[in-house]
Protein backbone atom coordinates (compact mmCIF):
# COMPACT_ATOMS: atom_id res chain seq x y z
CA UNK A 1 0.00 0.00 0.00
CA UNK A 2 2.81 2.35 0.84
CA UNK A 3 4.30 1.84 -2.62
CA UNK A 4 1.02 2.72 -4.31
CA UNK A 5 0.65 5.86 -2.21
CA UNK A 6 4.17 6.94 -3.11
CA UNK A 7 3.47 6.56 -6.82
CA UNK A 8 0.24 8.53 -6.50
CA UNK A 9 2.06 11.29 -4.60
CA UNK A 10 4.74 11.54 -7.29
CA UNK A 11 2.16 11.72 -10.07
CA UNK A 12 0.26 14.37 -8.15
CA UNK A 13 3.40 16.47 -7.75
CA UNK A 14 4.13 16.15 -11.46
CA UNK A 15 0.61 17.25 -12.33
CA UNK A 16 0.94 20.27 -10.06
CA UNK A 17 4.26 21.27 -11.69
CA UNK A 18 2.80 20.86 -15.19
CA UNK A 19 -0.24 22.93 -14.28
CA UNK A 20 1.88 25.69 -12.79
CA UNK A 21 4.22 25.69 -15.82
CA UNK A 22 1.30 25.88 -18.24
CA UNK A 23 -0.25 28.71 -16.27
CA UNK A 24 3.04 30.63 -16.15
CA UNK A 25 3.58 30.10 -19.88
CA UNK A 26 0.09 31.33 -20.66
CA UNK A 27 0.56 34.40 -18.47
CA UNK A 28 3.94 35.35 -19.99
CA UNK A 29 3.14 34.84 -23.67
CA UNK A 30 -0.53 35.73 -23.78
CA UNK A 31 -0.99 38.34 -21.11
CA UNK A 32 2.24 40.04 -20.04
CA UNK A 33 4.06 39.91 -23.42
CA UNK A 34 1.06 41.29 -25.31
CA UNK A 35 0.83 44.09 -22.82
CA UNK A 36 4.59 44.78 -22.93
CA UNK A 37 4.87 44.78 -26.74
CA UNK A 38 1.54 46.48 -27.37
CA UNK A 39 0.37 43.47 -29.31
CA UNK A 40 -2.25 44.37 -31.90
CA UNK A 41 -1.56 48.06 -31.19
CA UNK A 42 -0.25 49.97 -34.24
CA UNK A 43 0.48 53.54 -35.25
CA UNK A 44 -0.40 54.72 -38.74
CA UNK A 45 2.40 56.54 -40.55
CA UNK A 46 1.16 60.02 -41.51
CA UNK A 47 1.54 61.51 -44.99
CA UNK A 48 4.69 63.63 -44.74
CA UNK A 49 4.96 64.53 -48.43
CA UNK A 50 3.31 67.94 -48.06
CA UNK A 51 5.13 68.92 -44.87
CA UNK A 52 8.44 70.64 -44.30
CA UNK A 53 11.08 68.89 -42.24
CA UNK A 54 10.21 70.78 -39.03
CA UNK A 55 6.50 69.90 -39.13
CA UNK A 56 7.21 66.31 -40.17
CA UNK A 57 9.56 65.57 -37.29
CA UNK A 58 7.18 67.21 -34.82
CA UNK A 59 4.32 65.02 -36.07
CA UNK A 60 6.38 61.84 -35.76
CA UNK A 61 7.41 62.71 -32.21
CA UNK A 62 3.76 63.32 -31.34
CA UNK A 63 2.89 59.80 -32.56
CA UNK A 64 5.75 58.23 -30.63
CA UNK A 65 7.78 57.43 -33.73
CA UNK A 66 11.50 58.02 -34.21
CA UNK A 67 13.11 59.24 -37.43
CA UNK A 68 16.35 59.54 -39.40
CA UNK A 69 16.82 62.42 -41.85
CA UNK A 70 18.99 62.35 -44.99
CA UNK A 71 19.55 65.80 -46.54
CA UNK A 72 22.77 65.14 -48.42
CA UNK A 73 21.55 65.92 -51.95
CA UNK A 74 20.07 69.21 -53.08
CA UNK A 75 17.37 69.34 -55.75
CA UNK A 76 17.06 72.84 -57.24
CA UNK A 77 13.56 71.98 -58.53
CA UNK A 78 12.25 71.21 -55.04
CA UNK A 79 11.47 73.68 -52.29
CA UNK A 80 14.18 73.80 -49.60
CA UNK A 81 13.42 71.84 -46.38
CA UNK A 82 10.55 69.97 -48.03
CA UNK A 83 10.10 66.18 -47.77
CA UNK A 84 11.25 64.41 -50.93
CA UNK A 85 10.60 60.83 -49.81
CA UNK A 86 10.04 58.75 -46.67
CA UNK A 87 9.76 55.10 -45.61
CA UNK A 88 7.57 53.30 -44.56
CA UNK A 89 4.96 54.88 -46.80
CA UNK A 90 1.97 56.86 -45.59
CA UNK A 91 -0.83 54.87 -43.87
CA UNK A 92 1.55 52.00 -43.10
CA UNK A 93 0.83 50.42 -39.71
CA UNK A 94 3.92 50.30 -37.52
CA UNK A 95 4.67 49.78 -33.87
CA UNK A 96 5.23 52.72 -31.59
CA UNK A 97 8.90 53.70 -31.55
CA UNK A 98 9.45 52.55 -35.14
CA UNK A 99 12.11 54.55 -37.02
CA UNK A 100 10.91 56.46 -40.09
CA UNK A 101 13.53 57.24 -42.76
CA UNK A 102 13.08 60.70 -44.29
CA UNK A 103 14.80 62.22 -47.32
CA UNK A 104 14.54 66.02 -47.26
CA UNK A 105 15.80 68.77 -49.52
CA UNK A 106 18.50 70.96 -47.90
CA UNK A 107 18.60 74.73 -48.18
CA UNK A 108 21.24 74.64 -50.90
CA UNK A 109 24.01 72.49 -52.31
CA UNK A 110 26.53 71.00 -49.95
CA UNK A 111 29.79 73.02 -50.01
CA UNK A 112 32.71 71.62 -51.97
CA UNK A 113 36.41 71.77 -51.16
CA UNK A 114 38.64 73.85 -53.40
CA UNK A 115 41.35 71.60 -54.88
CA UNK A 116 45.03 72.51 -54.75
CA UNK A 117 45.67 74.17 -58.12
CA UNK A 118 48.58 76.55 -57.43
CA UNK A 119 51.38 75.87 -59.90
CA UNK A 120 49.19 73.51 -61.96
CA UNK A 121 48.65 73.99 -65.69
CA UNK A 122 45.57 75.76 -67.00
CA UNK A 123 44.21 72.57 -68.59
CA UNK A 124 44.58 70.55 -65.38
CA UNK A 125 43.00 73.35 -63.33
CA UNK A 126 39.98 73.48 -65.64
CA UNK A 127 39.48 69.71 -65.33
CA UNK A 128 39.78 69.60 -61.54
CA UNK A 129 37.42 72.53 -61.06
CA UNK A 130 34.82 70.89 -63.28
CA UNK A 131 35.10 67.62 -61.33
CA UNK A 132 34.72 69.53 -58.05
CA UNK A 133 31.52 71.20 -59.23
CA UNK A 134 32.95 74.71 -59.54
CA UNK A 135 32.60 77.08 -62.47
CA UNK A 136 35.35 79.16 -64.08
CA UNK A 137 34.79 82.89 -64.42
CA UNK A 138 37.49 85.31 -65.55
CA UNK A 139 40.98 84.32 -66.68
CA UNK A 140 43.45 86.97 -65.54
CA UNK A 141 47.05 86.99 -66.75
CA UNK A 142 49.96 88.39 -64.75
CA UNK A 143 53.63 88.52 -65.74
CA UNK A 144 55.36 85.40 -64.47
CA UNK A 145 57.94 82.96 -65.77
CA UNK A 146 55.49 80.06 -65.42
CA UNK A 147 53.32 80.62 -68.48
CA UNK A 148 49.70 79.41 -68.12
CA UNK A 149 50.38 78.15 -64.58
CA UNK A 150 47.87 78.97 -61.84
CA UNK A 151 49.19 81.74 -59.59
CA UNK A 152 46.07 82.61 -57.58
CA UNK A 153 42.39 81.70 -57.31
CA UNK A 154 39.80 84.40 -56.60
CA UNK A 155 36.26 84.04 -55.26
CA UNK A 156 34.19 87.23 -55.08
CA UNK A 157 37.40 89.16 -55.69
CA UNK A 158 39.28 87.62 -52.75
CA UNK A 159 42.08 85.06 -52.78
CA UNK A 160 40.99 81.59 -51.67
CA UNK A 161 43.30 78.73 -50.77
CA UNK A 162 43.17 74.99 -51.31
CA UNK A 163 40.89 73.21 -48.85
CA UNK A 164 38.49 76.11 -48.32
CA UNK A 165 34.77 75.32 -48.59
CA UNK A 166 32.89 76.97 -51.45
CA UNK A 167 29.25 76.62 -52.53
CA UNK A 168 28.77 74.02 -55.23
CA UNK A 169 28.66 75.63 -58.70
CA UNK A 170 30.31 78.78 -57.34
CA UNK A 171 32.28 80.78 -59.92
CA UNK A 172 36.00 81.31 -59.33
CA UNK A 173 38.48 83.45 -61.27
CA UNK A 174 41.92 82.12 -62.18
CA UNK A 175 45.09 84.21 -62.22
CA UNK A 176 47.59 82.65 -64.64
CA UNK A 177 51.17 83.44 -65.57
CA UNK A 178 51.46 85.03 -69.00
CA UNK A 179 55.19 84.44 -69.34
CA UNK A 180 57.70 87.26 -69.66
CA UNK A 181 57.63 89.84 -72.43
CA UNK A 182 60.54 90.53 -74.76
CA UNK A 183 61.81 93.90 -75.89
CA UNK A 184 60.51 95.88 -72.92
CA UNK A 185 61.95 99.37 -72.45
CA UNK A 186 64.17 99.65 -69.40
CA UNK A 187 63.07 101.92 -66.52
CA UNK A 188 65.25 104.93 -65.73
CA UNK A 189 66.77 104.29 -62.30
CA UNK A 190 69.33 107.12 -62.17
CA UNK A 191 69.17 109.24 -58.98
CA UNK A 192 66.79 106.79 -57.26
CA UNK A 193 67.53 105.35 -53.84
CA UNK A 194 68.26 101.64 -53.67
CA UNK A 195 64.80 100.96 -52.22
CA UNK A 196 63.02 102.89 -54.97
CA UNK A 197 65.21 101.33 -57.66
CA UNK A 198 64.43 97.81 -56.43
CA UNK A 199 60.73 98.61 -56.42
CA UNK A 200 60.87 99.96 -59.97
CA UNK A 201 62.76 96.87 -61.13
CA UNK A 202 60.20 94.55 -59.57
CA UNK A 203 57.25 96.60 -60.83
CA UNK A 204 58.59 96.22 -64.36
CA UNK A 205 59.16 92.47 -63.82
CA UNK A 206 62.92 92.53 -64.10
CA UNK A 207 65.35 90.99 -61.63
CA UNK A 208 67.87 92.76 -59.40
CA UNK A 209 71.38 92.03 -60.59
CA UNK A 210 74.71 93.11 -59.08
CA UNK A 211 74.78 96.07 -56.71
CA UNK A 212 78.11 97.90 -56.52
CA UNK A 213 79.30 101.08 -54.85
CA UNK A 214 81.49 103.88 -56.18
CA UNK A 215 83.49 105.65 -53.51
CA UNK A 216 84.40 104.73 -49.96
CA UNK A 217 80.86 104.64 -48.56
CA UNK A 218 78.54 101.64 -48.76
CA UNK A 219 75.60 103.55 -47.31
CA UNK A 220 72.53 101.87 -48.82
CA UNK A 221 70.13 104.42 -47.32
CA UNK A 222 71.56 107.70 -48.58
CA UNK A 223 73.29 106.43 -51.72
CA UNK A 224 71.72 107.07 -55.12
CA UNK A 225 71.88 105.13 -58.35
CA UNK A 226 74.54 106.75 -60.52
CA UNK A 227 74.80 104.06 -63.21
CA UNK A 228 72.72 101.17 -64.48
CA UNK A 229 73.15 98.42 -67.02
CA UNK A 230 71.27 97.87 -69.27
CA UNK A 231 70.58 101.54 -69.85
CA UNK A 232 67.25 103.34 -69.67
CA UNK A 233 67.23 103.71 -73.47
CA UNK A 234 67.60 99.96 -74.05
CA UNK A 235 64.98 97.28 -74.52
CA UNK A 236 65.34 94.11 -72.49
CA UNK A 237 63.55 90.85 -71.77
CA UNK A 238 61.52 90.71 -68.58
CA UNK A 239 62.94 88.41 -65.95
CA UNK A 240 66.52 89.44 -66.76
CA UNK A 241 68.80 91.17 -64.19
CA UNK A 242 69.63 94.88 -64.01
CA UNK A 243 73.00 95.85 -62.48
CA UNK A 244 73.22 98.98 -60.34
CA UNK A 245 76.06 101.26 -59.20
CA UNK A 246 75.41 103.50 -56.20
CA UNK A 247 77.28 106.36 -54.61
CA UNK A 248 76.88 109.08 -52.01
CA UNK A 249 79.34 111.31 -53.88
CA UNK A 250 78.29 114.09 -56.28
CA UNK A 251 78.55 113.07 -59.93
CA UNK A 252 81.34 115.57 -60.66
CA UNK A 253 83.55 113.83 -58.08
CA UNK A 254 83.05 110.38 -59.59
CA UNK A 255 83.19 111.48 -63.22
CA UNK A 256 86.29 109.37 -63.89
CA UNK A 257 84.66 106.20 -62.56
CA UNK A 258 81.53 106.84 -64.60
CA UNK A 259 83.64 107.33 -67.71
CA UNK A 260 85.34 104.00 -67.10
CA UNK A 261 81.92 102.36 -66.90
CA UNK A 262 80.94 104.05 -70.16
CA UNK A 263 84.09 102.68 -71.79
CA UNK A 264 83.27 99.20 -70.52
CA UNK A 265 79.55 99.12 -71.24
CA UNK A 266 78.88 101.81 -73.82
CA UNK A 267 81.85 103.48 -75.54
CA UNK A 268 84.45 101.67 -77.61
CA UNK A 269 87.06 104.24 -78.61
CA UNK A 270 85.29 107.19 -80.15
CA UNK A 271 82.23 105.30 -81.35
CA UNK A 272 79.14 104.63 -79.29
CA UNK A 273 76.83 101.63 -79.37
CA UNK A 274 73.74 100.75 -77.43
CA UNK A 275 74.35 98.88 -74.21
CA UNK A 276 72.15 96.02 -75.40
CA UNK A 277 74.51 95.49 -78.36
CA UNK A 278 77.56 95.04 -76.17
CA UNK A 279 76.96 91.41 -75.30
CA UNK A 280 76.07 90.55 -78.90
CA UNK A 281 79.42 91.92 -80.09
CA UNK A 282 81.42 89.92 -77.56
CA UNK A 283 79.42 86.77 -78.33
CA UNK A 284 79.94 87.14 -82.08
CA UNK A 285 83.71 87.61 -81.70
CA UNK A 286 83.95 84.54 -79.44
CA UNK A 287 81.95 82.43 -81.90
CA UNK A 288 84.17 83.58 -84.80
CA UNK A 289 87.30 82.62 -82.89
CA UNK A 290 85.85 79.16 -82.19
CA UNK A 291 85.06 78.68 -85.89
CA UNK A 292 88.59 79.75 -86.86
CA UNK A 293 90.08 77.29 -84.38
CA UNK A 294 87.90 74.44 -85.66
CA UNK A 295 88.89 75.22 -89.24
CA UNK A 296 92.59 75.06 -88.34
CA UNK A 297 92.06 71.69 -86.65
CA UNK A 298 90.22 70.31 -89.69
CA UNK A 299 92.92 71.57 -92.12
CA UNK A 300 96.32 70.96 -90.45
CA UNK A 301 99.47 72.35 -92.17
CA UNK A 302 103.16 71.81 -91.67
CA UNK A 303 103.52 75.33 -90.50
CA UNK A 304 102.97 76.03 -86.87
CA UNK A 305 99.62 77.73 -86.51
CA UNK A 306 99.70 81.15 -85.11
CA UNK A 307 98.49 81.33 -81.57
CA UNK A 308 94.90 82.40 -81.30
CA UNK A 309 94.62 85.93 -80.15
CA UNK A 310 92.86 86.42 -76.87
CA UNK A 311 89.56 88.25 -77.08
CA UNK A 312 90.07 91.94 -76.94
CA UNK A 313 88.87 93.76 -73.91
CA UNK A 314 85.65 95.66 -74.44
CA UNK A 315 87.38 99.02 -74.49
CA UNK A 316 89.46 97.90 -77.47
CA UNK A 317 86.55 96.97 -79.71
CA UNK A 318 85.74 99.51 -82.40
CA UNK A 319 82.30 99.53 -84.00
CA UNK A 320 82.19 101.15 -87.41
Amino acid sequence: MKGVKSIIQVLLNIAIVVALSFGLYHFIFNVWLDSYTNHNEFVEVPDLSKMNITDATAKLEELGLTYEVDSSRFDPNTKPFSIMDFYPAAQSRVKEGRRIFIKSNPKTYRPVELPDLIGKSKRLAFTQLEISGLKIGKIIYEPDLAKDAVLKILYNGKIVKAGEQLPRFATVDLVLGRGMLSGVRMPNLINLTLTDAKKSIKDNFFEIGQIKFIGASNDTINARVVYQFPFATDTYDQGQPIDLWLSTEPRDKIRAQLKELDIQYKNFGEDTIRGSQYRDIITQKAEQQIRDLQQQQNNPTTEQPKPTEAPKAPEEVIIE
Side-chain angles (χ1 to χ4, degrees):
M1 292 294 293
K2 290 183 178 180
V4 174
K5 289 182 178 180
S6 298
I7 293 173
I8 294 173
Q9 185 66 37
V10 170
L11 293 175
L12 182 60
N13 291 338
I14 293 174
I16 293 172
V17 171
V18 171
L20 290 175
S21 298
F22 179 78
L24 182 61
Y25 175 85
H26 176 76
F27 174 78
I28 292 175
F29 289 97
N30 293 311
V31 179
W32 178 82
L33 190 60
D34 286 351
S35 175
Y36 181 78
T37 60
N38 296 325
H39 186 61
N40 291 327
E41 294 183 13
F42 296 94
V43 177
E44 188 175 280
V45 177
D47 185 3
L48 307 177
S49 60
K50 297 181 180 180
M51 301 182 185
N52 59 40
I53 188 63
T54 303
D55 294 339
T57 54
K59 183 64 176 178
L60 294 176
E61 290 175 357
E62 180 184 330
L63 296 173
L65 299 173
T66 61
Y67 52 86
E68 181 176 325
V69 180
D70 176 13
S71 58
S72 59
R73 298 189 64 180
F74 176 71
D75 184 355
N77 299 318
T78 304
K79 188 177 180 180
F81 306 117
S82 61
I83 304 300
M84 302 171 66
D85 194 12
F86 61 96
Y87 178 83
Q91 299 181 350
S92 297
R93 300 179 67 197
V94 298
K95 292 291 185 70
E96 185 177 350
R98 170 68 185 271
R99 179 173 297 180
I100 308 300
F101 296 91
I102 302 173
K103 184 178 180 182
S104 70
N105 198 34
K107 182 178 180 180
T108 185
Y109 290 101
R110 176 175 291 185
V112 297
E113 187 175 288
L114 180 67
D116 185 5
L117 303 177
I118 302 301
K120 304 290 181 62
S121 67
K122 177 174 67 175
R123 178 178 297 181
L124 181 59
F126 282 11
T127 301
Q128 291 192 0
L129 287 174
E130 183 178 355
I131 293 174
S132 300
L134 297 172
K135 296 182 179 180
I136 301 170
K138 298 178 182 178
I139 303 297
I140 304 168
Y141 286 93
E142 289 186 356
D144 193 89
L145 288 173
K147 187 176 182 180
D148 284 335
V150 179
L151 305 179
K152 290 177 286 188
I153 305 172
L154 306 178
Y155 175 63
N156 289 336
K158 297 182 180 179
I159 296 177
V160 287
K161 298 181 180 180
E164 291 191 33
Q165 299 289 322
L166 299 178
R168 183 177 291 273
F169 303 123
T171 300
V172 296
D173 301 327
L174 295 182
V175 180
L176 307 179
R178 75 174 185 200
M180 293 300 181
L181 300 179
S182 300
V184 178
R185 183 172 294 277
M186 296 293 301
N188 186 2
L189 308 175
I190 302 302
N191 291 328
L192 295 182
T193 63
L194 179 59
T195 300
D196 292 340
K198 286 182 175 180
K199 183 178 184 303
S200 180
I201 290 172
K202 290 296 184 182
D203 289 346
N204 287 276
F205 302 102
F206 294 104
E207 295 295 326
I208 300 170
Q210 299 183 68
I211 298 176
K212 300 180 181 180
F213 289 86
I214 299 177
S217 175
N218 291 343
D219 184 355
T220 58
I221 297 177
N222 296 313
R224 299 276 175 166
V225 177
V226 294
Y227 204 86
Q228 70 178 79
F229 183 79
F231 309 111
T233 54
D234 288 347
T235 56
Y236 210 38
D237 296 343
Q238 288 181 334
Q240 297 300 316
I242 300 177
D243 298 336
L244 302 176
W245 284 260
L246 295 94
S247 180
T248 57
E249 301 289 342
R251 294 186 68 87
D252 57 348
K253 290 187 177 182
I254 57 173
R255 188 172 300 168
Q257 292 92 326
L258 296 178
K259 186 175 182 180
E260 290 179 2
L261 291 173
D262 277 341
I263 293 173
Q264 181 177 358
Y265 290 100
K266 186 190 298 184
N267 293 332
F268 296 82
E270 297 297 330
D271 297 309
T272 301
I273 65 168
R274 295 174 57 200
S276 58
Q277 295 175 308
Y278 167 72
R279 294 177 182 175
D280 293 339
I281 295 170
I282 299 302
T283 301
Q284 291 172 5
K285 289 181 65 64
E287 291 175 350
Q288 182 61 46
Q289 290 171 356
I290 292 173
R291 287 194 294 268
D292 293 343
L293 182 60
Q294 291 175 342
Q295 186 176 3
Q296 292 176 3
Q297 292 175 347
N298 294 332
N299 300 290
T301 60
T302 55
E303 297 181 359
Q304 292 292 332
K306 294 182 180 180
T308 304
E309 295 182 1
K312 295 182 180 180
E315 60 270 16
E316 297 177 352
V317 178
I318 299 176
I319 307 300
E320 298 182 353

